[in-house]
Amino acid sequence: MQFQQLQYFVAVAETRHFTRAAELVHVAQPSLSQQIRALERELGADLFQRARGNITLTDAGEALLPLARRILADTETARYEVQELVQLRAGRVRLGATPSLCTGLLPDVLRAFHDRYPGIRLLIEEGGSHDLVRELARGALDLALVVLPLPTPSPALTTVELLREDLVVVSSPESPRPGEGRRAVHVADLEGERLVMFRHGYDLRELTVAACRAEGFEPDFAVEGGEMDAVLGFVRAGLGVAVVPRMVAARSGLGLRVTPLARPGLHRTIALAHRSDVAPPRAARELQRMLLER
């Protein structure tokens, strides 16, 4: 049974005339009649009683008509929903990002994307780069914002560098300025400072600890184990200082003193990643374009 045969059958049932039905579906009348006969042979029953000038449905035709109409309606609904997706009026994007990027980079871009495509649902998953790479590989995410270099390089992923971001030191305005009050501090100046440190698996934790060790000292943790919001809150409370991205510090409002790191400073490279073997959905590709053009 073919979709086209059902379409021809419904047209004849509604017009009760083979010639008018053929005109309605834009096909030659002999072709329409041939397809109706093929449908009847397949079903093993006549669908119409044919008399000159009088076409009526048989019992089999009466039984098939509502089912055929439902199939045609469902097909039209499927076509419409696919067109909605293609034209970016519906669908979803599953985006992974590190918590610091959710705080600093994403709000403005996601707001612009939502304003342009309000029918697209945005599903955001926060995590470290290692976790996000794993979620990408198993198909749970369409795109992910990760920190380069990847913890475990994967040939199955494509990465495009998005930005290179400076890191800064944040502290409470009520506490002494780090680095003995200098306008910019070196990583070596953090020796002796109490650090508020992120949890294990956080990209910023590994980067900060590695930088301190490169200067020949082990960092002294006042508090450790927090996510971004918790770390900033502990710093505001005067528990210690923290090394955070400049964008996060700029968005964090009152209650924080921001001190740049002197050259060469500390930086991190942010990339947009997706699976190499599967093209991201249309909506995800549009979000990717907006991120790259931000």
Side-chain angles (χ1 to χ4, degrees), residues 5-289:
Q5 292 172 336
L6 294 178
Q7 189 179 33
Y8 295 172
F9 163 71
V10 170
V12 174
E14 290 178 346
T15 62
R16 302 301 171 103
H17 198 282
F18 277 74
T19 301
R20 285 198 292 270
E23 292 172 352
L24 185 66
V25 296
H26 308 292
V27 67
Q29 190 270 329
S31 297
L32 180 141
S33 298
Q34 183 180 6
Q35 289 298 319
I36 294 293
R37 292 193 199 97
L39 179 60
E40 290 175 324
R41 286 195 301 271
E42 182 173 354
L43 294 175
D46 290 338
L47 299 174
F48 297 103
Q49 293 176 347
R50 299 165 174 84
R52 182 174 295 274
N54 186 21
I55 303 296
T56 59
L57 287 166
T58 63
D59 289 344
E62 292 283 1
L64 178 61
L65 183 58
L67 298 174
R69 282 173 170 158
R70 188 186 313 159
I71 291 169
L72 295 177
D74 288 346
T75 302
E76 185 60 29
T77 299
R79 181 182 293 111
Y80 177 78
E81 291 187 358
V82 170
Q83 288 173 347
E84 289 276 13
L85 286 170
V86 170
Q87 297 175 26
L88 296 170
R89 292 197 296 265
R92 69 176 184 184
V93 178
R94 302 169 300 171
L95 174 67
T98 64
S100 59
L101 291 172
C102 287
T103 301
L105 171 67
L106 283 182
D108 291 339
V109 176
L110 295 187
R111 181 182 62 206
F113 182 86
H114 178 71
D115 289 345
R116 187 175 299 179
Y117 307 111
I120 303 294
R121 289 186 301 131
L122 294 166
L123 306 179
I124 308 300
E125 178 170 333
E126 291 187 71
S129 293
H130 184 275
D131 294 335
L132 296 177
V133 166
R134 185 176 63 248
E135 293 300 287
L136 271 176
R138 74 180 187 89
L141 295 173
D142 301 312
L143 302 170
L145 290 165
V146 297
V147 178
L148 296 181
L150 294 177
T152 52
S154 172
L157 295 182
T158 297
T159 59
V160 180
E161 187 172 320
L162 195 62
L163 62 95
R164 190 167 183 260
E165 184 179 19
D166 293 337
L167 302 184
V168 298
V169 178
V170 291
S171 57
S172 169
E174 299 176 1
S175 301
R177 184 183 290 272
E180 299 180 351
R182 288 190 291 274
R183 296 177 65 86
V185 298
H186 294 272
V187 173
D189 295 326
L190 298 179
E191 185 174 10
E193 294 281 354
R194 305 296 306 281
L195 296 184
V196 178
M197 184 50 64
F198 300 96
R199 62 170 172 79
H200 284 282
Y202 225 81
D203 301 292
L204 288 168
R205 179 190 180 104
E206 275 71 37
L207 194 155
T208 304
V209 170
C212 292
R213 288 174 177 167
E215 294 294 330
F217 70 94
E218 284 292 322
D220 180 15
F221 300 154
V223 185
E224 62 175 314
E227 300 281 349
M228 180 60 70
D229 287 343
V231 166
L232 295 175
F234 296 149
V235 171
R236 286 190 184 95
L239 292 172
V241 305
V243 177
V244 302
R246 183 182 293 277
M247 279 191 296
V248 171
R251 280 185 168 271
S252 298
L254 300 176
L256 287 176
R257 177 199 294 124
V258 179
T259 305
L261 283 163
R263 293 183 179 180
L266 291 178
H267 317 274
R268 65 174 186 170
T269 301
I270 307 301
L272 192 58
H274 63 83
R275 288 176 59 180
S276 303
D277 58 339
V278 179
R282 171 72 186 278
R285 295 200 303 272
E286 181 62 15
L287 177 58
Q288 181 181 38
R289 183 190 66 77

